Amino acid sequence: MAPFATRQAIVEAMRSLLTTGLSQGTSGNVSVRWGGGLLVTPSGIPAEQLGPDDLVAMDMDGGYDHPLAPSSEWRFHRDILAARPEIGAVVHAHPPYATAFAICGREIPAVHYMIAMAGGPNIRCAPYAPYGTQALSEHALRALDRRSACLLANHGMIATGPNLAKALWLAVEVEALCRQYALALQVGAPVVLSDAEVAETVERFKSYGPRDKSGH
């Protein structure tokens, strides 16, 4: 069984999705790489009712031994962790501004230097596919190529990180960027930074973001 501290951190992350307004009700799910597989939130349990023992340990082949079913989105959690060894955690949520752009099928361009936190000059929007399907997982993987966050058309957002704290931080920052972009579109024509300007910030951001006291 995964350490209690790891399980409790996932529970707290799920609750923070509610308190920060990133998700509502039973929407949103979180996974963390653990052992040779992953630990993922269960399906259909509201975050305020979630406990450490409710988290589902899964093999990379999709197998699990738990009375609760894993999140219906377990496939893209599993596939992201399998394809990207540098990623240790995945956060999926339905925040209002990011989801609004996803509903419109629009990527987020480099209208603010914080775009670099996602790894490049844009945050892509993956094409639509029904939730929980392998097709959605494959769309997400392509949208996350050389990126740590993406939007899912008519659905929501995915944020990743080397650990849960950084994945959750990125989810918050992506939603803030989407809100700023939405407001800027109402003001006028947003100015988009060049790829070179973003690339410089990407390099500077390699040591940016939340850290624990050990510096990780």
Side-chain angles (χ1 to χ4, degrees):
M1 179 175 286
F4 176 82
T6 301
R7 292 172 173 269
Q8 186 61 32
I10 295 174
V11 170
E12 291 173 0
M14 282 294 293
R15 291 175 181 166
S16 75
L17 292 181
L18 293 182
T19 58
T20 56
L22 294 186
S23 278
Q24 317 79 34
T26 59
S27 67
N29 33 78
V30 172
S31 69
V32 168
R33 187 186 300 277
W34 179 70
L38 64 152
L39 198 59
V40 66
T41 49
S43 177
I45 296 183
E48 61 269 22
Q49 297 178 21
L50 189 66
D53 292 338
D54 296 327
L55 303 175
V56 181
M58 299 190 73
D59 300 326
M60 283 300 186
D61 63 3
Y64 65 95
D65 181 14
H66 195 285
L68 297 175
S71 166
S72 58
E73 304 289 18
W74 68 264
R75 285 178 178 80
F76 68 59
H77 285 271
R78 186 272 311 272
D79 291 350
I80 291 168
L81 292 171
R84 300 279 296 275
E86 78 278 14
I87 291 175
V90 178
V91 171
H92 169 57
H94 301 169
Y97 286 91
T99 302
F101 282 108
I103 288 170
C104 295
R106 293 179 61 169
E107 70 172 29
I108 308 304
V111 291
H112 191 288
Y113 72 82
M114 284 296 284
I115 195 82
M117 65 193 167
N122 63 347
I123 296 174
R124 303 185 187 101
C125 184
Y128 177 77
Y131 75 90
T133 62
Q134 189 60 40
L136 178 61
S137 179
E138 291 167 4
H139 289 333
L141 282 175
R142 284 192 288 271
L144 285 168
D145 180 36
R146 294 169 285 117
R147 298 290 187 273
S148 52
C150 73
L151 305 183
L152 303 174
N154 304 92
H155 188 155
M157 171 255 282
I158 294 174
T160 70
N163 55 52
L164 182 54
K166 288 190 175 180
L168 189 59
W169 166 80
L170 181 58
V172 172
E173 293 294 338
V174 168
E175 173 65 356
L177 178 59
C178 289
R179 180 173 182 270
Q180 292 159 357
Y181 184 37
L183 291 171
L185 287 169
Q186 296 178 50
V187 173
V191 175
V192 178
L193 298 172
S194 70
D195 287 359
E197 288 168 324
V198 175
E200 178 184 357
T201 308
V202 168
E203 286 301 311
R204 298 178 69 181
F205 270 18
K206 288 183 177 178
S207 59
Y208 190 85
R211 304 182 191 182
D212 59 32
K213 291 183 179 179
S214 67
H216 297 102

